[in-house]
Amino acid sequence: MRVLLTGSAGFIGAAVADQLERAGDEVVRVDLMVPEAHAPDAEPAPGTHRVDVRDAAALGPLLQGIDAVCHQSAMVGAGVTVADLPSYASHNDLGTAVLLAAMHEAAVHRLVVASSMVVYGEGRYACAEHGPQTPGPRSVTALDAGDFENHCTDCGRPLGWETVEEDARLDPRSSYAASKVATEHYTAAWVRQAPGAAIALRYHNVYGPLMPRDTPYSGVAALFRSAIERGDPPNVFEDGGQMRDFVHVSDVARCNVLALRSVAEAPGETFSTYNVCSGEPVPIRRVAELVARGTGSGVAPVVSGRYRLGDVRHIVASPARAARDLGFTAEVRPDQGVPDFATAPLR
Ligand SMILES: NC(=O)c1ccc[n+]([C@@H]2O[C@H](COP(=O)([O-])OP(=O)(O)OC[C@H]3O[C@@H](n4cnc5c(N)ncnc54)[C@H](O)[C@@H]3O)[C@@H](O)[C@H]2O)c1
């Protein structure tokens, strides 16, 4: 296949490019090398087109003869400040819209797009006695008091978590999350209008070699590791009991390759979404412990009780649909992958 890959110099994009090329596919690399993601002197892989996905005129010639697009470029992170809003809207919403229009213009009808677990908001919960519940955002008063769990609206007891399936309600809680929902919605509209075939991959917490080091936008595993390297204990927010799914970047890249193969064969006008996860949820405190173990530093994580308003309490995905439709099952287990990550090269 000849694949145009946006965000090819990024953490996940570079791993996708690598696996596609090893499988014999041709990759047209596109990356703007935005300063939020790359050091000023960073050089992308040879042959990378330093093109902005918001630039339709520059995308047009690159899309000629392309079989499918793999769209990884985005501003990532949790939407750290209100000042970040225009940047998410511009790179993610507008960037996707311009890319989709340019694909239509160039008669490219196959797309795999990076989405995120953040589209779900709070994940899925149930009270042991009163059944499924959909909690709203947690209150500042409760969080300040160290009350981090969501509670049953009938009996007030803490809710247990359940796995989220792809047809769950979308409930973005940050500017970044809103932009990923918008990305999916633009894609769904393109699928109907073009018509095209698309797959959105909702990655959970991705980690692995060449992850960005230490920006407010870095994943939590990289932040834990950077703290230990500075000689500080990893700072675990809330009470450390937040459940997440950590999926290795090599598995995420492999899932993209499977999705590209699948979308190439898909009948017109299809749009599918998939969780991309390890299927082995872990509490955040355990992730900090696994990182610390991997560094061999003997540093113990500190549970600080701090919190970020945009964070959700538990978000754990069901891997079933990706296994059934794409044949994707993660190979790297967190117990093995997270300690290995502690000494892997970072970007
Ligand atoms: N890392 C995770 O844990 C995670 C989780 C869920 C979803 N995702 C999604 O996966 C995708 C890849 O994320 P990543 O972790 O590799 O991030 P990254 O920051 O390492 O890579 C993103 C790349 O996109 C490029 N880019 C940004 N704006 C651009 C533009 N306008 N034009 C061209 N290039 C542009 C950046 O220069 C960067 O190289 C993103 O869409 C992100 O939302 C990542």
Side-chain angles (χ1 to χ4, degrees), residues 125-133 152 155 157-160:
Y125 296 85
C127 170
E129 198 179 331
H130 298 102
Q133 304 232 350
C152 175
C155 66
R157 274 185 288 191
L159 297 173

Side-chain angles (χ1 to χ4, degrees), residues 165-167 255 258 262 271-275 318-330:
E165 312 218 329
E166 287 83 350
D167 50 11
C255 190
L258 290 169
S262 169
F271 178 48
S272 313
T273 55
Y274 295 100
N275 289 323
S318 165
R321 188 190 279 184
R324 187 194 66 206
D325 291 2
L326 302 177
F328 170 72
T329 308

Side-chain angles (χ1 to χ4, degrees), residues 104-190:
H104 183 55
E105 189 68 26
V108 178
H109 302 303
R110 299 282 182 266
L111 173 71
V112 172
V113 57
S115 185
S116 170
M117 65 175 192
V118 297
V119 300
Y120 296 123
E122 267 287 3
R124 202 166 148 218
Y125 296 85
C127 170
E129 198 179 331
H130 298 102
Q133 304 232 350
T134 310
R138 295 174 293 171
S139 76
V140 173
T141 317
L143 292 166
D144 280 341
D147 176 13
F148 300 116
E149 295 290 0
N150 293 294
H151 294 274
C152 175
T153 46
D154 290 324
C155 66
R157 274 185 288 191
L159 297 173
W161 58 267
E162 302 194 325
T163 57
V164 178
E165 312 218 329
E166 287 83 350
D167 50 11
R169 190 173 69 109
L170 303 187
D171 184 15
R173 300 279 174 91
S174 69
S175 47
Y176 169 63
S179 77
K180 295 315 275 187
V181 171
T183 295
E184 288 198 12
H185 286 170
Y186 286 123
T187 300
W190 171 85

